Amino acid sequence: MIRLSTKIAVAAAGAFALAGCALLSSPDPVQTYRFGGPAAASAAAEGQTTLRQVSLRRVEFPEAVEGDRILGVTGTETAYIGGARWVSPASDLYMESLENAFSAQATRVRLIGPRELSRGELSLNIDMRAFEARYDAPGATPMVVVTARVRLLAMPERTVTAERTFTVQQPAAENRVSAIVEAFDVATRDLNTQIVGWTDANAG
């Protein structure tokens, strides 16, 4: 009995040690990235008192790309780019970049973010339809595609006063994660500049 118990104890200890090794094993390294840094300033609206107040509704992202993973698409196949993630959910990074763009570039409107308590005369609603790296073939250099449907609504009736779908396509310099992330950054800045200009033009 003693000999059997000893064998059981040794086996249990070995199993526990293996389990501990599995729990403590290092995961594959993941590099984090961001996009949409501070926007370049243009003709700022500082000092103006007649700015239209525009409330920004939280931007809706497709479920596949609203988190921190970077989506790649080849034909009808999709896969997340391995070893790379956004430092925060893509939807959060985009909201920050858009608010920065309005702050730096808008000339006729003041954007009111979702965290502010006040409400504007107009509401800016944005639905992101695509936010992905598209490949013509496996291993090819991808094209980053960002598509957003934008609507400007009069409040409180919520009647649509203007609507447009924007699409930006930005080729990556090469099929490397850093180059793909740079293409996302350029595409996002381009999209935001277009949305700011369009909102300025349609809010009057």
Side-chain angles (χ1 to χ4, degrees):
M1 289 295 293
I2 294 175
R3 189 171 300 170
L4 181 59
S5 298
T6 301
K7 288 181 178 179
I8 293 174
V10 170
F16 181 78
L18 289 174
C21 289
L23 290 173
L24 296 175
S25 62
S26 299
D28 293 335
V30 174
Q31 179 65 49
T32 56
Y33 298 89
R34 64 176 299 118
F35 62 84
S42 59
E46 294 182 14
Q48 295 189 26
T49 58
T50 58
L51 299 179
R52 296 292 301 272
Q53 306 290 305
V54 178
S55 297
L56 174 64
R57 192 197 69 176
R58 181 162 184 83
V59 179
E60 297 290 337
F61 266 59
E63 184 177 354
V65 294
E66 67 180 347
D68 62 358
R69 293 182 293 181
I70 305 174
L71 183 66
V73 179
T74 307
T76 58
E77 297 182 358
T78 62
Y80 293 108
I81 296 175
R85 298 203 174 200
W86 301 122
V87 69
S88 300
S91 54
D92 292 347
L93 289 175
Y94 181 73
M95 285 288 292
E96 180 182 348
S97 74
L98 184 62
E99 292 185 58
N100 287 340
F102 268 93
S103 178
Q105 299 172 2
T107 60
R108 300 181 63 187
V109 303
R110 176 186 177 272
L111 194 70
I112 301 174
R115 293 179 297 275
E116 298 185 55
L117 297 178
S118 56
R119 291 291 178 267
E121 311 162 62
L122 300 169
S123 174
L124 183 64
N125 292 14
I126 301 175
D127 294 321
M128 194 68 68
R129 298 299 180 86
F131 196 80
E132 59 202 32
R134 294 182 183 173
Y135 295 80
D136 288 336
T141 300
M143 175 80 72
V144 167
V145 179
V146 180
T147 299
R149 178 185 178 225
V150 184
R151 294 186 301 162
L152 203 57
L153 282 66
M155 302 301 287
E157 299 86 0
R158 298 187 61 82
T159 54
V160 178
T161 63
E163 180 174 348
R164 181 177 168 183
T165 296
F166 295 86
T167 295
V168 175
Q169 299 186 40
Q170 177 64 40
E174 54 185 321
N175 187 27
R176 296 181 56 185
V177 174
S178 59
I180 295 170
V181 168
E182 183 178 357
F184 270 105
D185 186 60
V186 173
T188 300
R189 290 169 186 265
D190 186 355
L191 175 68
N192 288 347
T193 296
Q194 292 187 52
I195 290 176
V196 172
W198 178 85
T199 305
D200 263 342
N202 287 280

